[in-house]
Amino acid sequence: MNSDNRLLSLGFSPCPNDTLIFNALVKGLVCHSRRNFSEPELADVETLNEWAIEGKLDVTKISFHALVHVLDKYTLLRSGSALGRGCGPLLVGRNKFARKEIAGKRIAIPGKYTTAAMLLKLYEPACRNLVVMRFDQIMPAVAAGTVDAGLIIHESRFTFRNFGLEEVLDLGEWWEEKTGLPIPLGAIVARRTIGRERISYIESCIRESVRRGLAEPESAKGYIRMHAQEMDDEVVSEHISLYVNEFTVELGDEGLAAVETFMEFAREAGLSPLPGGLESVFL
């Protein structure tokens, strides 16, 4: 590692996939991680996105949408990401409506820089009446009629019917049909100034923490439950199985192709400030 041996700040969400991923690292069970990281800061993904834009943390979870806005400060890590199939954001409403009506609806989104928000703009660029809400406030707002529809993420895809809501559009399904690739949802990034050698070491620590979480899920159960709030065990299990997979261990060729395609789409739609492709992602 380089000569900068200070403790690094770390941020991720309280969602079960992130707490499983980081459990072994936070507990110091891999890579002497207690010698490398300070106590982690847990926050919802849009808060983490905003912090990354401010450059607040050294290593952090963010949305892939936010990634294109922070590559001057951060580099993507090849381990810890959330990509997959059958796990994309859902557009829901009190009643089903035609897809051609989406542009005219008042839609709640879980954050300006979330991947969900970018996918909606890629699908329907004419969407203008968007209301930013914290992800867990969206379903109640749709059910109450405060908004016409809501873009839901995380465990909400398992519980939206409890609010009497209907699925209007599966943006992950749309992405997969259009590209044949998994949808890139969340990324782990590290501050570029940490240096290539230490970043490589951090990446290996996260990879080992992911592998340990997948191999020994019961060992992480207490940490997951501590942050899962009122989520029941079945939803926690479904959440983890959907968002933690082989791409989380290592992006690999298919994962990298998905990231590159996502960035190309964003650039072509005018949603990315960066001209480059994958060459701009890594240190």
Side-chain angles (χ1 to χ4, degrees):
M1 293 182 291
N2 64 16
S3 57
D4 180 7
N5 290 320
R6 66 185 177 84
L7 291 177
L8 301 175
S9 54
L10 171 66
F12 52 89
S13 83
C15 292
N17 61 311
D18 281 355
T19 47
L20 177 80
I21 288 167
F22 286 100
N23 172 68
L25 186 144
V26 167
K27 292 178 178 176
L29 302 176
V30 297
C31 299
H32 305 292
S33 48
R34 287 189 181 276
R35 302 178 191 175
N36 288 278
F37 295 97
S38 57
E39 192 68 22
E41 297 199 44
L42 275 65
D44 70 276
V45 69
E46 184 66 356
T47 298
L48 293 170
N49 290 338
E50 292 168 354
W51 286 352
I53 288 167
E54 297 167 7
K56 176 179 177 178
L57 300 173
D58 294 313
V59 179
T60 183
K61 171 74 172 284
I62 61 171
S63 300
F64 269 101
H65 181 184
L67 178 68
V68 301
H69 295 277
V70 301
L71 285 171
D72 57 330
K73 297 185 284 286
Y74 291 95
T75 181
L76 175 65
L77 301 187
R78 288 174 171 82
S79 296
S81 291
L83 289 83
R85 290 184 167 85
C87 61
L90 302 179
L91 184 69
V92 299
R94 290 183 303 284
N95 302 105
K96 288 183 179 291
F97 52 84
R99 293 187 178 187
K100 64 183 179 181
E101 299 178 59
I102 289 174
K105 298 294 185 180
R106 190 165 187 257
I107 301 173
I109 60 171
K112 178 181 177 182
Y113 296 105
T114 57
T115 300
M118 179 179 280
L119 285 170
L120 181 62
K121 291 177 183 177
L122 290 174
Y123 178 85
E124 180 48 88
C127 282
R128 293 286 184 270
N129 196 359
L130 304 177
V131 182
V132 175
M133 293 183 183
R134 202 174 69 189
F135 82 93
D136 58 347
Q137 297 174 345
I138 291 177
M139 292 186 296
V142 178
T146 307
V147 291
D148 299 317
L151 199 55
I152 59 171
I153 57 175
H154 301 326
E155 66 276 4
S156 299
R157 69 179 293 118
F158 307 119
T159 59
F160 69 90
R161 290 186 177 86
N162 297 343
F163 289 80
L165 305 180
E166 300 281 348
E167 178 184 323
V168 175
L169 171 66
D170 185 330
L171 282 167
E173 183 178 275
W174 168 76
W175 167 270
E176 290 172 45
E177 290 174 353
K178 192 173 184 65
T179 68
L181 294 165
I183 176 66
L185 298 170
I188 307 295
V189 297
R191 196 189 302 277
R192 290 176 180 267
T193 53
I194 293 171
R196 190 185 304 273
E197 189 176 358
R198 197 175 189 192
I199 287 173
S200 178
Y201 178 73
I202 291 165
E203 191 173 68
S204 69
C205 292
I206 293 173
R207 185 181 302 114
E208 183 58 30
S209 189
V210 174
R211 285 176 173 155
R212 189 153 181 165
L214 288 171
E216 305 169 10
E218 284 298 312
S219 68
K221 192 171 183 179
Y223 191 61
I224 293 167
R225 291 269 19 133
M226 183 192 308
H227 298 288
Q229 300 173 347
E230 298 177 4
M231 213 181 300
D232 65 39
D233 287 343
E234 184 178 353
V235 171
V236 167
S237 179
E238 289 176 331
H239 186 114
I240 290 170
S241 64
L242 197 60
Y243 297 110
V244 185
N245 51 43
E246 69 273 16
F247 299 114
T248 315
V249 178
E250 181 78 35
L251 281 171
D253 292 342
E254 190 176 27
L256 290 172
V259 174
E260 185 169 34
T261 301
F262 186 81
M263 294 182 68
E264 287 173 358
F265 279 26
R267 188 166 58 252
E268 291 168 3
L271 300 173
S272 169
L274 299 173
L278 279 182
E279 69 275 7
S280 65
V281 171
F282 299 107
L283 191 62

